Amino acid sequence: MPVRLRNSRLRRTLLAALIAASVAAPVSGASSPAAVPAPVPAPLAPLRDADRGTLDARYAATRDGILAAGRMAARHGDRKRAAALRGMADPRRHFLLFDGRDGGRTAEVFGDLTRAERIAVLVPGADTNLDRYWRLRNDSAALRRELGPKAAVVAWLGYETPATVSPAALTTGRADTAAPALGRFTDELRTARPAARISLLCHSYGSVVCARAAPGLRGVADLVLYASPGTGARDVSALHTRATVWAGRGTADWVADVPHTRLRLPFVSIGFGPDPVSPGFGARTFDAGTGGHSDYLKPGSRSLKNIARIVSGTAPSGRSRHA
């Protein structure tokens, strides 16, 4: 196919997606998780160390914030959100941050940070919020079990994720806003656990967030991009990071059909550019198995095992397979 024709089709596809998203977004907005009110959280001091007393105090403070948000949700009449928040306030669960506004901001710890030698930070993609938090929680718990007792996993919902069908899901805008927060959070982890190996696991639109944060990340060993629609960067060198960049995609992942181009319009750029699993991008690829878009951390999957190996500093097994 001639290059000009192929690029024309890609542009038409992206423009059609933008138009469809622009029509669909207002319809879905009425039931947005951001519509549930929540109190302004109490300010938290930066995490300077990971001793038991410091962490227990942090967990208690965020638990108070979760309970306050639950009471406000109940007064608002959202019983489902109130019940979910009561569950999140269980003393057996541990949050480094919580803000119930605008769909929610959380960072839940799975494992023991006080003795973690490896820390994996999960950066989720579109449509992740307090009402759909269960998937991120399940993925984090599965990875923690795979990694074993000397590791901790942090589910970082630290930004307002875009809806899958929305203009925001086609641009880097949300990622640009999220990147500084992700950088500050990883800095806190590195300060608190300086000897730990830290990896960022970036799913779908989360890979765009990680890419925008990459130049400012310090002390991060790995950036693992999976189910990625692209990063907004032309290749690994454009990420300006010392971390090892990995990319993987399951053979049943629909994201393989996303046009890997970037269309520059007068006031916005649509799309995220080259495919991270393509040879020209320059990432180290890993075998992500046969799963779909939400299956990468499914218990027993090849993708889970290989991602856990990367977090542990071990080479993934098998040959990479691209959809």
Side-chain angles (χ1 to χ4, degrees):
M1 179 185 297
V3 173
R4 181 175 297 178
L5 178 59
R6 183 173 64 247
N7 288 342
S8 176
R9 288 181 177 176
L10 290 174
R11 285 177 169 80
R12 289 200 301 271
T13 299
L14 286 174
L15 286 172
L18 178 62
I19 293 169
S22 298
V23 172
V27 175
S28 62
S31 59
S32 167
V36 183
V40 177
L44 298 171
L47 190 65
R48 301 296 184 191
D49 56 61
D51 65 82
R52 178 58 60 193
T54 298
L55 288 176
D56 284 348
R58 183 72 165 254
Y59 297 152
T62 54
R63 189 172 301 116
D64 288 343
I66 294 169
L67 289 170
R71 291 191 292 270
M72 186 171 285
R75 290 195 297 270
H76 181 68
D78 194 323
R79 296 181 179 179
K80 182 178 179 180
R81 172 71 65 84
L85 291 171
R86 285 194 296 272
M88 294 174 79
D90 188 314
R92 292 170 295 182
R93 297 178 66 174
H94 303 121
F95 289 84
L96 290 172
L97 66 87
F98 176 84
D99 184 343
R101 299 172 297 174
D102 295 327
R105 310 285 191 277
T106 68
E108 184 173 8
V109 178
F110 297 78
D112 187 355
L113 272 183
T114 64
R115 59 192 185 99
E117 297 176 2
R118 300 174 299 280
I119 301 174
V121 179
L122 268 61
V123 182
D127 282 324
T128 307
N129 49 57
L130 291 179
D131 291 343
R132 299 182 178 182
Y133 181 75
W134 59 270
R135 180 177 288 117
L136 179 59
R137 173 173 167 77
N138 289 349
D139 283 350
S140 301
L143 179 60
R144 170 61 174 75
R145 289 191 296 269
E146 188 71 27
L147 287 169
K150 293 185 178 181
V153 175
V154 182
W156 185 81
L157 175 55
Y159 74 110
E160 184 182 0
T161 66
T164 299
V165 182
S166 71
L170 301 176
T171 74
T172 63
R174 295 285 175 88
D176 291 333
T177 302
L182 180 57
R184 290 191 297 270
F185 184 75
T186 56
D187 279 348
E188 286 192 37
L189 286 180
R190 184 176 54 84
T191 300
R193 291 293 299 168
R197 177 187 177 88
I198 299 175
S199 301
L200 297 189
L201 310 185
C202 318
H203 177 254
S204 195
Y205 188 87
S207 64
V208 186
V209 176
C210 290
R212 306 308 269 188
L217 297 176
R218 296 178 295 170
V220 172
D222 304 287
L223 292 180
V224 186
L225 315 175
Y226 53 105
S228 175
T231 64
R234 67 180 183 276
D235 56 27
V236 165
S237 66
L239 297 178
H240 302 292
T241 180
R242 295 183 178 180
T244 301
V245 180
W246 298 86
R249 186 171 62 224
T251 57
D253 191 341
W254 57 259
V255 84
D257 297 322
V258 171
H260 294 288
T261 189
R262 200 168 191 201
L263 176 60
R264 298 185 185 278
L265 299 176
F267 301 105
V268 68
S269 293
I270 305 171
F272 305 111
D275 188 346
V277 302
S278 65
F281 187 76
R284 297 188 183 183
T285 58
F286 65 93
D287 185 353
T290 60
H293 193 69
S294 300
D295 298 333
Y296 288 83
L297 298 179
K298 185 177 181 180
S301 66
R302 180 177 292 276
S303 51
L304 172 62
K305 293 181 183 299
N306 275 337
I307 289 172
R309 289 175 70 88
I310 292 170
V311 171
S312 300
T314 304
S317 61
R319 295 181 178 180
S320 65
R321 293 182 291 177
H322 304 159

